[in-house]
Amino acid sequence: QVQLVESGGGLVQAGGSLKLSCVASGRTFRTTTMGWFRQAPGKEREIVAAITWSAPSPYYADSVKGRFNIARDSAKNTVYLQMNSLKPEDTAVYYCAAGFSGVYRYASAYDYWGQGTQVTVSS
């Protein structure tokens, strides 16, 4: 299986930046897609960004487009989420996920999940 460990969350003021990291281990050679999701209290889990090996460009949710950037370092088995111009609405637990199917829009398409890291944006 694949193990995923997120880090980099914390407390930041509105307008600030954070960089999240997700280190993958195990049978990562089967992975075709890596995604970042978030879930705020009382709300459903939603996609933030995703990168799939076969696509020329990453996917971003409309709410974060132009502010967040997803990147992969295959040599380090690590995926990053650079978050800029953060807003209080970005406050949530952020999860990284790995999938084998190549489908990236939906949480149900992913096979493995990290433990989550808390991001809190104050106003």
Side-chain angles (χ1 to χ4, degrees):
Q1 64 174 27
V2 175
Q3 296 82 44
L4 305 173
V5 179
E6 304 103 326
S7 62
L11 175 64
V12 65
Q13 291 184 325
S17 298
L18 283 174
K19 186 176 183 178
L20 307 183
S21 299
C22 176
V23 179
S25 61
R27 299 179 67 84
T28 58
F29 62 88
R30 295 186 62 200
T31 301
T32 62
T33 305
M34 295 292 297
W36 286 96
F37 290 76
R38 67 187 182 187
Q39 188 166 23
K43 299 185 68 176
E44 64 186 14
R45 187 169 298 187
E46 63 180 0
I47 191 168
V48 176
I51 184 168
T52 185
W53 304 178
S54 62
S57 301
Y59 169 84
Y60 297 97
D62 288 342
S63 60
V64 307
K65 198 171 298 181
R67 299 188 296 121
F68 290 12
N69 181 61
I70 186 171
R72 177 176 70 114
D73 186 336
S74 59
K76 296 181 178 180
N77 295 124
T78 302
V79 177
Y80 305 95
L81 184 68
Q82 177 66 52
M83 304 185 293
N84 302 311
S85 301
L86 283 161
K87 305 174 181 179
E89 309 92 88
D90 296 317
T91 296
V93 177
Y94 283 70
Y95 300 89
C96 69
F100 304 140
S101 71
V103 177
Y104 55 85
R105 283 289 310 276
Y106 310 104
S108 60
Y110 291 80
D111 299 282
Y112 296 99
W113 294 82
Q115 82 286 355
T117 185
Q118 177 71 48
V119 172
T120 302
V121 184
S122 64
S123 59

